Amino acid sequence: AEGREPRAESAPRLMPEIAIGPSRVTIEPGALDTLGARVRDAAAAHRYAVISDETVAALHGARVLASLADAGLRAELLAFPAGEAHKTRETWGGLTDRMLAAGFGRDSVVVALGGGVVGDLAGFVAATFMRGVPVVQVPTTLLAMIDAAIGGKTGVDTPAGKNLVGAFHQPALVVADPRVLATLPAPQLRSGIAEAIKHGVIADERYFERVVSALPALLAPGAASADATIETMKALVVGSVEIKAGVVARDEREGGVRRTLNFGHTLGHAIETASRYRLLHGEAVAIGMALESELAERAGVAECGTTERVRDAITRAGLPLERPAEQDPHALLALTRGDKKSRRGIVEYALPRRVGAMAGEREGWGVAVDDALVLEVLA
């Protein structure tokens, strides 16, 4: 259909349990209680290293270990301090050293229990430990359920920017339990909604409208644990996974159409890095989407009114629109040059043509924009 270029035409309608290449994705309230049996069936191993951050480990670690034990699986929990600031090569090295000291071998599986930071970091541990062992992703944030845990990207941050050291390593299994989102702080929930808005902008206008319509129910105080809200959340997760699965199926390693998933991320990553990760990822992406939509209109690639629709959705989600005032536009522009999306020293942006459709198909889904125009938008 017109305006849905990033989605594979033959992609099947995703159900709560679906396949993405070698991965299986389960989206089911209460799935955490049956995790052990699911892991045993999808990724048999001698031992399991459950990697989590200290916050998530305190909330869900005992429950996950109990489920694995009930399935007859031998597991050990390895926790590290929470936060993007700890998604580093040093933490990666510490975790691999702990696994080696504990006697984990090639017949091991890593279980990543947590949000995007945990999924990226534990996935990178799995991709590199003993030259690669299987990983099971168990996302506990909305952002991880709809984006970070899907598609096989793993990595760590460096002082030069986000996710600049990593590997593609598809999970054997992804288990998303929307009920765990009841424990998610409101800023983290909003952060995940930013990625849902992004999915609508890049591929599906109707999904974009459904996300915006659902915002009052999703963000109402005390609504997160209500059965109706959990069902709404499940539908949002399924819709986003469907969009991302269609893109990844066509381009696993980001050589073409997968680059559309970077909408909002070129400037967003620069802003997030410059904030020293005080901004949540979704907050930085929201700002990036607002700025990059305006960039698309000023560059003449987006329909008039696209920016207004994107900014309205971001505002309704309670997310920020503007870069922090203390951040220098020239410094942010310099940070984009070290991003993975830079080619031959030229920064290429994933820009919308309108809500539901992306520009730049003939250019491989990356649009080069003059630096002066970027600085105009940042200023």
Side-chain angles (χ1 to χ4, degrees), residues 323-375:
R323 65 169 174 81
E326 69 274 11
Q327 292 186 0
D328 176 63
H330 289 85
L332 293 175
L333 182 64
L335 283 170
T336 67
R337 299 199 182 284
D339 192 87
K340 303 182 298 303
K341 294 171 280 298
S342 177
R343 301 288 190 274
R344 299 179 299 279
I346 299 171
V347 181
E348 296 181 341
Y349 292 80
L351 298 179
R353 181 161 56 84
R354 59 177 176 80
V355 172
M358 294 296 280
E361 180 176 9
R362 292 181 181 178
E363 296 78 29
W365 303 106
V367 180
V369 181
D370 187 83
D371 285 353
L373 195 57
V374 177
L375 288 172

Side-chain angles (χ1 to χ4, degrees), residues 105-136:
R106 280 192 164 187
D107 53 354
S108 303
V109 166
V110 170
V111 178
L113 173 67
V117 169
V118 173
D120 284 354
L121 180 56
F124 188 43
V125 170
T128 51
F129 186 77
M130 299 285 180
R131 296 198 175 100
V133 297
V135 62
V136 173

